[in-house]
Amino acid sequence: VLAWRAKAGFEEKYGESRGDSSRFIPQTHRFFGGGSTSIRGWAARDLIARGDPQLGGNLSLETSLEVRLNLLQGDESGWLDKLWLVQFFDAGNVWQLVDEFQFKTVAIATGLGVRYDTFVGPFRLDWGIRIYDPGAPEGNRWITQRKLWSETVRNSVFHLGIGQAF
């Protein structure tokens, strides 16, 4: 199965609320990036182009591509044919303001996952690593610029969930 998704969100005040002294949408209504249904190389609410990730943003762009393989399809035992292997590729980010968007601030992650079909839906385990981290210092953003074990694998993230990521 080849699965793809794209998601975009934009928030702006309107009407009389634009005259409010604060340019930002309240924090409880803002976008957040990272997590098991977002960019899987980051933990939940841990991704933002600039600033504090816990503040969220007014602009969110995300895309994901997954290849889901059922290698043991037709297994006679009846339980191995419910096992799926997944390779995924995620890209996107959250920006506090629209005018902060730049292509060099788009985060990229990839990883592997396992799905097991049950009567309530697939249980999943995903392991995401950062290919491009726009929040890292210059010269340490691409995976090729980081040490494999101490910087890349150490910053990888595991996600558990029920259902497909999208």
Side-chain angles (χ1 to χ4, degrees):
V1 175
L2 180 64
W4 175 73
R5 77 164 171 114
K7 181 173 108 173
F10 169 70
E11 297 176 320
E12 183 63 63
K13 291 185 173 185
Y14 64 93
E16 293 179 15
S17 64
R18 285 184 181 228
D20 190 354
S21 62
S22 172
R23 187 173 176 189
F24 297 106
I25 302 293
Q27 183 181 5
T28 55
H29 298 286
R30 301 190 74 182
F31 297 114
F32 294 92
S36 67
T37 59
S38 180
I39 312 300
R40 290 170 272 188
W42 281 261
R45 301 182 119 191
D46 202 24
L47 179 63
I48 193 166
R50 291 191 182 110
D52 183 359
Q54 299 307 313
L55 295 178
N58 289 2
L59 175 66
S60 174
L61 299 172
E62 295 179 4
T63 187
S64 296
L65 179 69
E66 277 190 359
V67 177
R68 303 172 185 159
L69 300 170
N70 186 332
L71 298 177
L72 303 170
Q73 190 173 19
D75 174 56
E76 303 269 335
S77 68
W79 69 274
L80 285 177
D81 64 344
K82 297 178 183 181
L83 188 66
W84 293 74
L85 300 176
V86 175
Q87 167 70 49
F88 61 85
F89 178 82
D90 301 332
N93 211 330
V94 173
W95 294 266
Q96 288 185 355
L97 301 170
V98 174
D99 52 353
E100 291 178 354
F101 172 81
Q102 296 176 342
F103 282 107
K104 69 179 184 178
T105 59
V106 174
I108 303 170
T110 190
L112 299 171
V114 177
R115 311 283 188 269
Y116 187 77
D117 290 331
T118 68
F119 67 93
V120 295
F123 281 81
R124 65 183 162 92
L125 173 66
D126 290 332
W127 175 57
I129 60 171
R130 300 173 185 181
I131 298 295
Y132 179 75
D133 184 356
E138 190 70 40
N140 201 25
R141 293 183 178 170
W142 287 98
I143 192 170
T144 56
Q145 298 170 326
R146 297 189 299 263
K147 295 178 183 174
L148 179 64
W149 293 107
S150 62
E151 294 175 338
T152 302
V153 175
R154 183 178 221 172
N155 288 328
S156 65
V157 181
F158 285 95
H159 298 283
L160 291 170
I162 299 175
Q164 300 291 357
F166 58 92

